[in-house]
Amino acid sequence: MTLPLAQQQLLASVNDGLHIGGQWRGSSHGATVDVRNPATGEVIRTVASASVGDGLAALTAADEAFPAWAATPARERAEILRRAFDLLTERADDFALLMTLEMGKPLGEARGEVAYGGEFLRWFSERTAHVTGRYGANPEGSGRMIVTQHPVGPCYLITPWNFPLAMATRKIAPALAAGCTVVIKPATLTPLTTTYFVQLLQEAGLPAGVVNVVTTSVPGPMSEAILADPRLRKLSFTGSTPVGRQLLKQAAQGVLRTSMELGGNAPFIVFDDADLDKAVDGAILAKFRNIGQACTAANRMLVHVDVVEEFTARLTERVENLVMGPGTEPGVAIGPLIDDRAVAKTDELVRDAVTRGASIRTGGAPADGHGYFYPATVLADVQPGSALLTEEIFGPVAAIAPFRDEDEAVALANATEYGLVSYVFTESLARGQRMIERLETGMMGLNVGAVSNAAAPFGGWKMSGLGREGGDEGIHEYLQTKYTLTPNPFA
Ligand code: NAP
C-alpha cells in the first residue's frame, strides 16, 4: 500500500542511522532492523541496528562528553531543554503522526503524548537551576557540614514501545538537567520517534556526545556489555518486570544506580457510593487509552456487587461505540495492537477467562483483515484463577469482577506482586482516605482515570519498580550526594 506523500516525507526525514558522538552513522556490522506500521503490518522504514561495539562506542562518546556537560552552567542546560520544548510544541503534529505510524495509537492520543512528553522538557528545564545543597554547623559545633549534589555520570536508558516519546523525554530531560550524559536504546519496534527527537535536540543546541542513540535488534548482548563497563554509572529502564529483574542482576555487578519502571496490574475499584458516570468515564480512560497497552492500564475492574450490573451495562454501551481502525483515521479510538503476538496473547487471556466462566458482553475475538487489531472487549463475571487477573493484559479488554465489602475490595486489589497504580471511585471522602492508606501502589487515581503528570513522582511499589520519574524526585535519580566536613572556621 502506498503511503500518502506527507507520511512518506515525514518518514524520510527521520535519520536511519545510529547517533554516536554527534555523528549519524550505520551499524559497524551493517545490520538493519525493519520498522512496521501495526495498522497494516507493512515495513515503513529500515534503520541501523547497533552491534555490541556500537553500543560501547556510544558509551565512550557519553563518557567523553560528560565532564564538559556536567560543568556547563545550569542555566545553559535549562535553556537547551526549554528550546527543545518549544521546538517539540511547534512540531507536535509531525511527532504525533510519526508515533501513530510506528506504534499505532490514534492520532488524538499521540498528540496527547507529545504534550505530556514535552512537559518533562519544560518541567526539568525549570528544575535545572534549583539543585541545591546545604551548609551548617555540626551538632558538636566543632565543624561545618557541607552537602552538595553531583551528576551521577554517563547513564544507560532503555525504553519500551508503548509510549515512544514520553518514555524517552521522562528519562532524557532529568538526566540532562542534572548534568548527566546518556546512551539511549529505544524499543526495536518503535525507534523512529526517539531518533527524530534526538534530531530535534541537536537543533536545540545540545553538544555532541551528550545524547547517543543505539537502536538494536540484539538488546541482550549490547546491554550486558554496556552494564559491565565501569564507565557507566546508572541504568534507567522502563519495561517488563522479567527483563527489569534480569537487568538489575547485571547492574548489581557494577553497583550501579538504577531506576526501574516495570509492569503493572492496576485495580480499578468502583464502590456502591460512586458516581457511576464518573466511574464509566474513568474506566474508558484507564482501560482503553493506548489500546490498553499501558503499565497504568486498569487490569482488574472490581465493582461492588450492588452496582456491578449497572456499571457493566453502561460501560458496554460506551465501549460498543468506540471506533476501531488505523490511528491515522479520524474518529478512531481503538488502533491496532503492536504486533501479532500481542493479538494472540490478548485472545489467549480472553479464552482462558471465558473457559473459567466469564461472559463476553462485547468484542472478544481478533478482527479479520490486515494489521494487528483486537476489538474493545468487556468481560463480566471474571472468576478467580483467570490468568488476566494476575497477568498484565496489555490489550483493550475490561475484566470485571464483583466484590461485597471494603475489606474484600482491598484484599483483592492488593493480591498481586505489582503495585504501580490503583483507581478508586467513591463519593465518600473518608473511604477515599482509607483507600490511600490501604492500597499498596505507588500512585492512585481518586475519582479519575489517569494520573500521569510531569510534576508528579511516577513510579511503583513492590515488583512495579524502584525510583521515581517526574516531580522533584525525578532529578534526584540522576544526582548523587556528597557530604564534606570542615573545621569550625572560628575555632
Ligand atoms: P520489554 O520487553 O521489557 O522491553 C522494554 C525494553 O527493554 C525494550 O527496549 C527492549 O528492547 C528492551 N529489552 C528486552 N530484552 C532486553 C535485554 N535482555 N536486555 C536489555 N534490554 C532488553 O517490555 P515491552 O514489551 O517493550 O513494554 C511493555 C512493558 O513495559 C509492560 O510490562 C509495561 O507495564 C512496562 N511499562 C512500564 C512503565 C512504567 O512506567 N512502569 C511504562 C511503560 C511500560 P527490544 O525492543 O529490542 O525488545
Side-chain angles (χ1 to χ4, degrees):
M1 194 194 300
T2 316
L3 291 173
L5 187 61
Q7 295 183 14
Q8 288 180 36
Q9 285 170 340
L10 175 62
L11 288 164
S13 65
V14 182
N15 203 297
D16 62 0
L18 310 170
H19 189 61
I20 301 177
Q23 304 295 317
W24 293 97
R25 60 188 228 197
S27 160
S28 60
H29 59 347
T32 56
V33 58
D34 288 338
V35 182
R36 288 175 192 276
N37 178 349
T40 60
E42 287 173 2
V43 175
I44 50 172
R45 194 94 171 95
T46 298
V47 300
S49 170
S51 64
V52 171
D54 294 325
L56 291 172
L59 179 58
T60 300
D63 185 49
E64 287 174 359
F66 174 64
W69 182 246
T72 301
R75 180 81 71 213
E76 277 180 40
R77 296 201 304 266
E79 279 165 3
I80 291 172
L81 286 173
R82 178 65 203 207
R83 268 200 296 280
F85 168 75
D86 291 338
L87 287 172
L88 184 64
T89 306
E90 272 170 31
R91 294 178 201 162
D93 286 346
D94 284 348
F95 273 90
L97 179 58
L98 191 58
M99 250 191 291
T100 296
L101 289 174
E102 70 171 341
M103 185 274 164
K105 69 183 70 193
L107 257 183
E109 290 192 23
R111 283 198 195 95
E113 182 175 342
V114 176
Y116 171 57
E119 284 305 325
F120 289 96
L121 300 168
R122 177 153 65 171
W123 174 260
F124 285 110
S125 79
E126 290 162 352
R127 287 289 162 286
T128 307
H130 293 265
V131 173
T132 55
R134 51 184 207 268
Y135 177 87
N138 63 359
E140 299 74 22
S142 58
R144 294 293 178 265
M145 303 193 299
I146 306 166
V147 180
T148 47
Q149 302 290 336
H150 307 263
V152 295
C155 304
Y156 184 37
L157 315 178
I158 303 179
T159 53
W161 50 263
N162 59 346
F163 292 97
L165 179 72
M167 297 304 99
T169 58
R170 207 163 81 167
K171 297 184 188 305
I172 291 174
L176 301 191
C180 295
T181 55
V182 310
V183 174
I184 181 163
K185 190 210 86 57
T188 319
L189 291 165
T190 57
L192 304 180
T193 306
T194 307
T195 303
Y196 200 47
F197 175 63
V198 171
Q199 290 173 227
L200 179 150
L201 284 177
Q202 266 193 309
E203 214 177 311
L206 194 71
V210 174
V211 174
N212 306 277
V213 190
V214 279
T215 299
T216 181
S217 57
V218 287
M222 188 185 81
S223 301
E224 207 174 340
I226 292 175
L227 291 169
D229 192 305
R231 294 172 298 175
L232 186 75
R233 294 312 319 142
K234 180 177 170 81
L235 165 68
S236 177
F237 170 78
T238 297
S240 62
T241 296
V243 174
R245 200 185 283 122
Q246 187 183 330
L247 293 171
L248 271 174
K249 276 191 204 154
Q250 293 170 12
Q253 292 308 310
V255 193
L256 295 178
R257 289 277 298 273
T258 55
S259 302
M260 309 301 283
E261 297 289 349
L262 308 178
N265 182 356
F268 183 100
I269 307 173
V270 182
F271 285 102
D272 50 347
D273 59 9
D275 176 329
L276 286 193
D277 288 333
K278 275 189 216 161
V280 171
D281 284 348
I284 294 285
L285 200 57
K287 179 69 253 182
F288 297 101
R289 192 173 62 106
N290 222 37
I291 320 130
Q293 303 168 115
C295 52
T296 51
N299 216 57
R300 298 165 293 151
M301 298 204 170
L302 307 173
V303 186
H304 190 275
V305 68
D306 288 351
V307 292
V308 70
E309 194 41 55
E310 192 183 345
F311 174 82
T312 306
R314 287 207 213 174
L315 182 66
T316 304
E317 195 186 328
R318 287 279 296 277
V319 168
E320 280 169 345
N321 289 320
L322 297 177
V323 177
M324 183 172 77
T328 45
E329 285 181 11
V332 163
I334 303 293
L337 293 181
I338 189 67
D339 59 15
D340 50 358
R341 285 184 312 164
V343 175
K345 160 101 191 296
T346 305
D347 197 45
E348 193 184 307
L349 289 171
V350 170
R351 300 272 76 79
D352 169 76
V354 170
T355 308
R356 291 170 192 274
S359 63
I360 297 174
R361 296 297 178 92
T362 185
D368 295 329
H370 294 299
Y372 313 125
F373 289 95
Y374 200 95
T377 295
V378 176
L379 295 180
D381 295 318
V382 173
Q383 299 296 313
S386 303
L388 45 56
L389 296 179
T390 48
E391 290 179 29
E392 272 191 298
I393 302 174
F394 247 59
V397 179
I400 303 173
F403 69 84
R404 267 149 211 86
D405 59 29
E406 196 175 299
D407 285 345
E408 189 188 5
V410 170
L412 288 170
N414 287 340
T416 167
E417 64 195 11
Y418 296 107
L420 189 60
V421 62
S422 49
Y423 303 93
V424 172
F425 286 77
T426 174
E427 291 298 297
S428 157
L429 177 60
R431 174 170 270 155
Q433 288 173 299
R434 287 198 294 278
M435 290 301 110
I436 294 173
E437 298 196 20
R438 297 184 77 186
L439 294 179
E440 298 166 352
T441 57
M443 300 178 287
M444 186 170 138
L446 186 52
N447 294 320
V448 295
V451 297
S452 302
N453 192 301
F458 188 106
W461 289 8
K462 296 163 50 178
M463 289 211 200
S464 287
L466 300 167
R468 292 294 180 269
E469 290 189 322
D472 287 328
E473 290 82 353
I475 196 166
H476 288 283
E477 300 280 321
Y478 296 90
L479 291 168
Q480 53 194 346
T481 302
K482 179 179 279 178
Y483 148 66
T484 307
L485 182 67
T486 64
N488 179 348
F490 297 102

